[in-house]
Amino acid sequence: MNGAGRLRIVAIADTDSYVKWAAALIGSLPGTELIVLDTPLVVSDTQLAVALRGSGLSRPRGRGGAGDRVRRAGYGDLPRLLSGADAVLLAARGPLVQVLQRQISSMDPCPVVVTGLPGISIPPTRLALHFRRGCDLFVLHSHREVREFASLAIERGIRQRFALATLPFARATTREPAADGTDLVFAAQAKVPAEREERMRVVRLLIAAAEAAPERRVVLKLRGRPGEAETHRELHSYPELLAEVGELPENLVVSTEAMSTALRRAEGLVTVSSTAAIEAAATGVPVIALDTFGVSEQLINVVFIGSDLLAGEDDVIHRRFRALRPQWRRDNYFHEPSDDDWLGQLRSLVERRRRGELEPREPLQRFAGRARDAWERRLALGAHDPQSAGAAAYAVGLPLHVVARAVHMVRGRVSRPRSSDREQTPVPG
């Protein structure tokens, strides 16, 4: 622990949503750094600048030099960059967290490993727990999330510590929506809704809303520009669907600006289940959680039951935005800041590790040992994997994985997989 109780916390992130979350979570803490890791889904410079805005972290200068709090780096650079860290925050998709945790566990001394999810995480999922089971602390953002993840961990026989941190995008700020805000902002998501026809229905809804109020803008807020990677793969992009429609109302616009900027001009926000709904509510912007496609675990919007935000297409067209029900707030992302315990738990774990009292996490027993490790590393890092063993393991392991997956799918015809068997998290705008 450095200085007078100051922790040196280093975060590792790669995709847009995780970079934004990590920067917002630790950016205001002294002695913190962010490593933007080279992976196939790493953020572009433009995405990185948007993600860092307002976080308190400086922009990177090249690949990182002395004094930089943000730097780009490769997997092979991590041992050097993490040396001396009290704690490492793994802000990444589950498979990459698993690979990074395995590498960090071999360090001596080994820092405390923290992980978490970048947005609404109800319902909890088995894979979110499984991939992060080697980490010392799992950060969540509501009393409900902590309660439900703890219950699932017990059900699955996974030993894990959970901690509470206010969702960074829901913190009270000096930002205020414009008193005369007129934009209807739609927060797009890559995976929700998933089907092409459902996404085309959203396009038609936005057109109808624009035509109903031609003097006010309808803003389709995207997470990135064409060609930029995102945390989740998008099969049917809204710009492509808009192009199919042809001529569009002039007041229907597409934007990739920061969500915080979009909300300053917003009359209200519409989404299916994006964490942008919480960010909007935190700044006083009313919200519609669109329930046109239903309310289900697959749509990741069951958390909004009882919030008073669920509404349909007619409400969107007529801009009948909603305010959060007060009784919903404390259990869901708007608890008192004094309830947060993640930093207290982290400090305690760091102190225990320095005294040699923190037991190492039990390694997951798996088939194929080091070959499996190399294969998983190659899957997570792709061409950015610096070790040739990963490519060899990938060449051998991929056919075996395809066969195993086919067997699993055949077995799955008897019983449909639960949503808890997938890692799915809506991410901030």
Side-chain angles (χ1 to χ4, degrees):
M1 201 175 298
N2 304 310
R6 175 185 293 187
L7 294 179
R8 181 186 170 217
I9 305 174
V10 181
I12 305 174
D14 63 337
T15 69
D16 57 334
S17 58
Y18 279 104
V19 168
K20 179 180 178 181
W21 174 70
L25 185 66
I26 70 167
S28 62
L29 301 175
T32 55
E33 305 161 36
L34 173 63
I35 295 172
V36 181
L37 185 67
D38 292 334
T39 74
L41 299 180
V42 69
V43 291
S44 68
D45 288 341
T46 300
Q47 287 174 305
L48 180 57
V50 170
L52 294 179
R53 193 166 299 161
S55 70
L57 291 175
S58 63
R59 296 185 181 185
R61 298 189 292 273
R63 295 192 64 83
D68 280 356
R69 294 184 65 195
V70 181
R71 69 184 74 209
R72 292 184 180 272
Y75 180 80
D77 300 322
L78 293 181
R80 173 178 57 84
L81 297 177
L82 298 181
S83 178
D86 296 303
V88 177
L89 172 65
L90 299 183
R93 296 154 292 130
L96 181 56
V97 168
Q98 182 174 250
V99 168
L100 294 174
Q101 184 277 327
R102 192 178 300 127
Q103 183 195 38
I104 293 169
S105 67
S106 66
M107 295 177 59
D108 186 18
C110 179
V112 171
V113 181
V114 188
T115 190
L117 296 170
I120 294 170
S121 304
I122 297 292
T125 68
R126 179 186 67 85
L127 286 182
L129 278 172
H130 170 74
F131 285 126
R132 296 169 176 84
R133 65 192 303 159
C135 299
D136 297 299
L137 190 65
F138 195 139
V139 176
L140 295 165
H141 298 296
S142 76
H143 286 292
R144 180 177 177 182
E145 287 185 355
V146 170
R147 187 171 61 248
E148 295 195 13
F149 266 87
S151 177
L152 181 61
I154 292 172
E155 175 189 327
R156 295 285 180 174
I158 297 174
R159 294 174 57 251
Q160 183 57 273
R161 301 178 186 90
F162 297 100
L164 180 65
T166 299
L167 187 68
F169 323 113
R171 289 177 184 148
T173 67
T174 56
R175 291 197 325 258
E176 293 292 340
D180 57 349
T182 59
D183 288 354
L184 183 161
V185 179
F186 178 78
Q189 296 166 265
K191 295 176 63 177
V192 178
E195 300 301 323
R196 185 183 187 281
E197 182 50 42
E198 292 174 332
R199 296 176 79 81
M200 183 58 81
R201 185 169 178 175
V202 170
V203 166
R204 291 194 291 266
L205 172 60
L206 297 181
I207 291 173
E211 292 175 342
E215 75 285 0
R216 289 179 287 180
R217 296 199 312 170
V218 172
V219 179
L220 173 57
K221 168 66 179 68
L222 303 179
R223 297 197 50 80
R225 294 175 170 81
E228 290 180 325
E230 298 180 24
T231 302
H232 299 298
R233 183 185 178 194
E234 185 176 46
L235 295 179
H236 310 290
S237 77
Y238 284 115
E240 291 172 353
L241 296 176
L242 284 171
E244 292 181 17
V245 172
E247 187 173 354
L248 301 170
E250 291 185 0
N251 60 323
L252 174 56
V253 300
V254 177
S255 171
T256 57
E257 65 186 351
M259 179 59 73
S260 58
T261 302
L263 290 176
R264 292 194 188 103
R265 297 189 299 270
E267 177 184 1
L269 179 126
V270 179
T271 188
V272 176
S273 59
S274 171
T275 303
I278 307 302
E279 185 173 355
T283 60
V285 174
V287 175
I288 289 176
L290 185 65
D291 63 5
T292 292
F293 310 106
V295 179
S296 68
E297 293 185 357
Q298 288 72 29
L299 291 167
I300 326 175
N301 59 355
V302 294
V303 71
F304 292 121
I305 295 173
S307 69
D308 286 351
L309 298 186
L310 291 166
E313 292 174 279
D314 192 59
D315 295 291
V316 174
I317 292 171
H318 293 93
R319 298 182 178 227
R320 294 192 285 260
F321 300 106
R322 312 297 181 86
L324 279 173
R325 185 176 181 225
Q327 296 88 333
W328 183 89
R329 295 174 64 95
R330 185 183 182 279
D331 206 33
N332 297 277
Y333 310 107
F334 291 93
H335 56 268
E336 292 296 324
S338 58
D339 293 349
D340 289 353
D341 64 355
W342 82 279
L343 275 175
Q345 286 204 51
L346 178 58
R347 286 185 180 277
S348 176
L349 292 174
V350 170
E351 290 170 358
R352 288 173 59 189
R353 179 142 292 170
R354 289 172 66 87
R355 294 194 302 263
E357 298 173 358
L358 181 62
E359 71 284 358
R361 299 290 291 176
E362 183 177 350
L364 180 63
Q365 300 300 319
R366 300 167 312 136
F367 172 75
R370 292 184 179 178
R372 173 73 175 266
D373 292 348
W375 181 68
E376 290 177 347
R377 189 182 64 246
R378 182 70 177 186
L379 283 178
L381 298 173
H384 298 280
D385 180 3
Q387 300 181 33
S388 58
Y394 182 80
V396 174
L398 183 59
L400 295 176
H401 175 69
V402 170
V403 172
R405 186 173 180 83
V407 171
H408 177 75
M409 292 178 65
V410 170
R411 291 175 177 172
R413 292 174 185 172
V414 179
S415 174
R416 290 176 62 96
R418 298 170 47 189
S419 64
S420 61
D421 291 334
R422 297 185 297 277
E423 180 177 86
Q424 52 180 17
T425 303
V427 291

